[in-house]
Amino acid sequence: MKTPLAPDQRAGLFTITVTQFVLVFMLSSVAVAVPALGREFGAKASELGLVESGYIAAVSMLLFPVTRLADMVGRGAVFLSGIVVFTVVSLLLPLTTSIGAFIVLRVFQGAGGAMMVTTGLVILAELFPAQGRGRALGISSAGVYLGMSGGPMIGGLITTHLGWRWIFYICAVPCVACAVLALRHLPVRPKVTRGLRFDWGGAVLMGLGMMLLTQGGTHFDTALGKTMLGAALLALAAFVVWEARADAPLLDLRLFAGNKPFAFASAVQFINYAAVFGITFLMSLYLQIARGMTAGDAGLVLMAQPLTQAVLSPLSGTVVDRVPPHRVATMGMGLGSLAMAMAALLGPGSPLPVVVGILLLCGAGMAIFATANVSVIMGSVAPTHYGVASAMTAAMRTTGMTFCLVVASIALSVALGPHPATAENAPQFLGAMRVVLLGFAALGAVGTVLSLYAPMRRPDAP
């Protein structure tokens, strides 16, 4: 018989699952609303790109600095502050009258999201003991997947019937509920720890590297974009060198050198999202361009993946509580890689049930992988390093997503040139899609081997 959850556990699980959902929902749903937003503001294409890249860059660049801040003033205080910032900005965004103001507010919204996601998993790990942690992480992962993959369809429906502003209004409602629950049930009072220093050099290099990476991918078709990508690699390499020598680093690299489970699981986290995240984006284009489906019909087909993820994530968490996590993660990684390889074989006349089956397989793989791998990362460090482990989980996920979209954008840019993807150039699109998906399948195979090979252990194992 299962022990009923305490009020603090129920409130924490709900709050963290919702905040995990809204962070990625604000990325995937707004992507559908970008054309309507651009028409209203008369925005340039490059400015519309900043609507998404500015948001994700803010999340990525602030993950480790926010983790350090949480160590200095308390995780609960930073978590609640993130909810408040995210909610207030969500209510201000619909009131903007220019694309410039909208982009600036999106950056602040991403900052609030970074404060929520970095501290949320740590609080969840502290609320649940080892035997119940896997299931709790599985439920929170379901929130991530629903926001990630369900956002395009939900955002499209809201934009069509209510207008793009209502995406932000509706998203703010559960955030207000989360703030109330956090105030009542979670330890959100500031707890200042004296003697800790902030690594300003590392924060600047990380922020610069992630901003240049997202901007370079957005503008890869220009010389400036290619220059940005090169500068991003230099800045991120400089960040690693700086952190290795810093007295109070944002990221303690000794966790990698002396902790193989942590190092391998972090690498596999990046590889999984880099290999699998783009299937929703590519399949959406495939269904509409190569098969001539409407956006609404394509959204219904794409829902096969998030529904599978939402159903299986909690179940996989239960399995993780009983089976070595690295074996579960390896199975999920393998299923996702197989889905990528099968998707690469799709053509204009492929049966629709085959497409749905591939999405179901991909959703199952992602759901099985995520909970298990997060369990490995959080269970491979001492409680004093939970903050860094949580930030690493989010950083590898976000960076993997960014890498995936950058690679897909580069491939489509090379294949289609300055032309938009339409039914007339569907053969060129399909060729680019096959190359990208085969590359992702190969990358996923590497991740599968790493996940199996890594000497991972159960969470909190001695």
Side-chain angles (χ1 to χ4, degrees):
M1 184 176 179
K2 294 182 179 180
T3 304
L5 297 181
D8 290 355
Q9 289 179 316
R10 287 197 300 270
L13 183 57
F14 174 84
T15 301
I16 291 161
T17 300
V18 170
T19 53
Q20 295 276 319
F21 167 84
V22 297
L23 177 71
V24 291
F25 179 80
M26 275 290 103
L27 179 68
S28 60
S29 63
V30 173
V32 181
V34 160
L37 192 149
R39 287 191 298 270
E40 180 171 331
F41 288 148
K44 301 176 183 177
S46 58
E47 291 174 325
L48 293 180
L50 289 173
V51 169
E52 292 290 80
S53 60
Y55 177 79
I56 195 170
V59 175
S60 300
M61 73 173 65
L62 291 175
L63 287 172
F64 290 111
V66 165
T67 298
R68 188 63 172 176
L69 178 64
D71 291 337
M72 298 173 71
V73 302
R75 294 169 186 141
V78 172
F79 180 68
L80 177 61
S81 299
I83 297 175
V84 172
V85 170
F86 194 92
T87 305
V88 171
V89 175
S90 296
L91 292 173
L92 290 176
L93 276 163
L95 305 179
T96 55
T97 56
S98 69
I99 190 64
F102 190 92
I103 291 170
V104 170
L105 285 177
R106 279 287 277 176
V107 172
F108 279 98
Q109 189 184 38
M115 296 169 73
M116 294 188 305
V117 72
T118 303
T119 53
L121 289 179
V122 184
I123 295 172
L124 196 65
E126 292 174 341
L127 284 173
F128 286 85
Q131 289 303 312
R133 186 176 301 160
R135 184 169 180 269
L137 290 172
I139 294 173
S140 67
S141 295
V144 173
Y145 289 138
L146 280 175
M148 184 195 311
S149 301
M153 181 180 178
I154 298 172
L157 290 173
I158 294 174
T159 301
T160 300
H161 298 288
L162 299 175
W164 63 265
R165 287 176 170 81
W166 281 95
I167 293 178
F168 299 96
Y169 287 137
I170 291 173
C171 191
V173 173
C175 291
V176 172
C178 287
V180 173
L181 286 174
L183 278 170
R184 293 187 60 183
H185 296 283
L186 300 181
V188 296
R189 288 189 176 183
K191 297 179 181 179
V192 178
T193 302
R194 301 187 182 278
L196 295 179
R197 291 177 293 172
F198 191 82
D199 179 14
W200 289 104
V204 170
L205 289 171
M206 167 61 78
L208 183 63
M210 293 309 302
M211 181 63 76
L212 288 172
L213 181 65
T214 54
Q215 295 298 303
T218 301
H219 303 289
F220 183 77
D221 58 331
T222 67
L224 178 60
K226 295 179 178 67
T227 303
M228 285 181 173
L229 282 178
L233 296 177
L234 291 176
L236 293 175
F239 169 77
V240 173
V241 173
W242 178 277
E243 294 301 285
R245 300 180 179 181
D247 294 330
L250 297 176
L251 175 60
D252 190 349
L253 295 179
R254 290 174 297 180
L255 287 174
F256 294 93
N259 190 336
K260 286 186 177 180
F262 181 80
F264 274 88
S266 298
V268 170
Q269 178 86 346
F270 169 83
I271 290 173
N272 179 75
Y273 284 94
V276 179
F277 176 71
I279 192 169
T280 301
F281 169 70
L282 291 172
M283 286 295 100
S284 177
L285 292 176
Y286 161 76
L287 291 171
Q288 296 180 65
I289 295 171
R291 301 182 68 99
M293 296 179 68
T294 65
D297 290 340
L300 289 174
V301 174
L302 292 172
M303 282 298 292
Q305 181 183 340
L307 287 176
T308 303
Q309 293 167 202
V311 170
L312 293 184
S313 289
L315 296 178
S316 67
T318 303
V319 173
V320 166
D321 288 333
R322 299 188 177 99
V323 180
H326 75 284
R327 295 182 182 176
V328 182
T330 301
M331 178 184 297
M333 192 83 194
L335 291 176
S337 302
L338 178 60
M340 296 300 103
M342 293 174 63
L345 302 177
L346 292 174
S350 298
L352 190 58
V354 172
V355 178
V356 174
I358 291 172
L359 292 170
L360 291 172
L361 184 64
C362 182
M366 292 184 73
I368 293 170
F369 168 84
T371 305
N373 202 62
V374 170
S375 295
V376 173
I377 293 175
M378 299 300 292
S380 63
V381 300
T384 54
H385 287 117
Y386 275 173
V388 173
S390 178
M392 178 57 65
T393 299
M396 291 299 99
R397 179 173 65 229
T398 307
T399 308
M401 292 176 183
T402 304
F403 174 84
C404 179
L405 293 177
V406 167
V407 169
S409 297
I410 291 173
L412 294 178
S413 176
V414 171
L416 304 180
H419 307 290
T422 62
E424 285 71 26
N425 53 28
Q428 290 85 350
F429 164 76
L430 285 173
M433 185 186 79
R434 291 190 182 102
V435 171
V436 171
L437 289 174
L438 287 174
F440 287 160
L443 180 62
V446 173
T448 303
V449 173
L450 287 178
S451 181
L452 181 63
Y453 175 77
M456 301 177 184
R457 62 177 184 266
R458 294 178 60 86
D460 298 335

